[in-house]
Amino acid sequence: MNGTSDRGSPADGEGAVPDQPKAGSTKNVAGNTSVFTGVSQLCDTVVRLSGVDGAAVALLTRSSRVRDLVYATDATAQQIDELQFTLGEGPCLDAYHHHDTQLLPDLRDSAATGRWPVFAGEALDIGVRSVFAFPVVEGGTPLGVLELYRRTAGALAVDELNAALTIAATAAFTVRQNWDEYLARTDDAGGADAAAENLSQAQVDLPGAFSRSQVYLASGMAAVQLGIPAGQALDRLRAYSYQHGRSIKDVSDDVVARRLNLRDEADLEDT
């Protein structure tokens, strides 16, 4: 990872143990503190300071194939993130890719419908009118996105915008600090890459409330079923969930539980 440390980041591996809701926190495999401890409090704070209805933080890999929701303040914030994960489009993805804020005070405007027509329509359907996305960047390296939404149209005031920018920067520092502390505790001779792999496995064994570890496990199973790379299998999961109006998590649960085989679905399409 570029910047303050060359020890790698949790966004370089396939996910990490996410922060739990207020009821508790997930323990990681090396110590008593989650790599993402403190992120939930930052989300709650930005809602209060920026006057939005909800917030979420998602962490991504550089390929954006792996995207894990760390925390969401409410069900709608979680749905917004889920929509973009499923569709592969949206302001949060662009904020990550371009390292730039995406401010959409009205999803009905052409600025939103022209760039992300499917996302804008789906978000409006669940009662979201405005979305604001801020890249979470540490040392010049994007780690993820801070996602905000409102049920009403309207731009962020100057003080609200500044609060959101400050929280995004603080989230990056918090994740970086927690990651360095995690690496200091682990005695894995493999270094940062092995540590990230251990976190990924811990997430599969003990997933947090927002974890998408089941989705990536399902994409691996679908890859075997279909004889295609895991990345393509993930796209097939996304397409299936959208076509059938189901969340990708529910579809993945069915694949992992062997209630759904995408090879059978492909055979039916071919007949």
Side-chain angles (χ1 to χ4, degrees):
M1 180 176 180
N2 298 326
T4 59
S5 174
D6 60 358
R7 306 171 76 184
S9 81
D12 293 332
E14 297 194 354
V17 181
D19 212 17
Q20 291 281 8
K22 299 170 187 175
S25 63
T26 299
K27 308 301 183 182
N28 67 31
V29 294
N32 295 325
T33 304
S34 167
V35 169
F36 299 134
T37 291
V39 174
S40 61
Q41 291 90 336
L42 290 173
C43 286
D44 294 334
T45 299
V46 76
V47 169
R48 176 168 49 85
L49 295 180
S50 62
V52 296
D53 291 308
V57 168
L59 275 292
L60 297 83
T61 63
R62 292 187 178 95
S63 69
S64 290
R65 279 292 172 188
V66 176
R67 174 187 171 93
D68 221 16
L69 180 61
V70 177
Y71 182 82
T73 59
D74 60 274
T76 300
Q78 188 169 359
Q79 280 182 284
I80 293 170
D81 188 78
E82 182 81 3
L83 268 177
Q84 293 174 93
F85 179 81
T86 302
L87 298 172
E89 72 168 42
C92 298
L93 294 177
D94 280 14
Y96 175 83
H97 283 304
H98 304 306
H99 308 183
D100 195 14
T101 58
Q102 301 290 327
L103 307 177
L104 301 167
D106 192 343
L107 288 178
R108 293 180 180 174
D109 286 349
S110 59
T113 58
R115 291 176 66 184
W116 313 287
V118 181
F119 166 77
E122 295 283 348
L124 287 167
D125 285 346
I126 63 173
V128 175
R129 189 66 184 273
S130 56
V131 174
F132 313 97
F134 302 83
V136 174
V137 180
E138 196 280 330
T141 299
L143 302 177
V145 184
L146 171 66
E147 313 167 12
L148 311 180
Y149 83 90
R150 278 179 176 159
R151 297 186 181 93
T152 56
L156 295 173
V158 173
D159 59 335
E160 294 171 340
L161 176 60
N162 288 336
L165 290 168
T166 299
I167 292 295
T170 304
F173 175 79
T174 299
V175 171
R176 172 79 265 173
Q177 186 177 49
N178 290 345
W179 177 243
D180 285 344
E181 290 176 358
Y182 169 76
L183 288 179
R185 289 190 186 97
T186 182
D187 58 358
D188 198 313
D193 289 342
E197 181 65 27
N198 287 340
L199 281 173
S200 177
Q201 186 57 51
Q203 186 181 0
V204 173
D205 296 338
L206 185 61
F210 305 109
S211 172
R212 290 200 176 99
S213 59
Q214 195 84 336
V215 175
Y216 300 114
L217 179 59
S219 68
M221 294 177 64
V224 174
Q225 293 168 3
L226 299 169
I228 58 177
Q232 292 181 26
L234 179 57
D235 289 339
R236 293 291 290 270
L237 283 175
R238 286 170 165 153
Y240 182 92
S241 63
Y242 184 71
Q243 291 168 2
H244 290 80
R246 302 179 60 197
S247 75
I248 195 168
K249 181 183 182 303
D250 288 345
V251 170
S252 297
D253 287 344
D254 282 351
V255 171
V256 173
R258 304 185 189 281
R259 293 187 294 267
L260 173 65
N261 187 313
L262 293 188
R263 174 71 263 176
D264 295 339
E265 296 294 323
D267 289 343
L268 287 173
E269 293 174 359
D270 292 338
T271 57

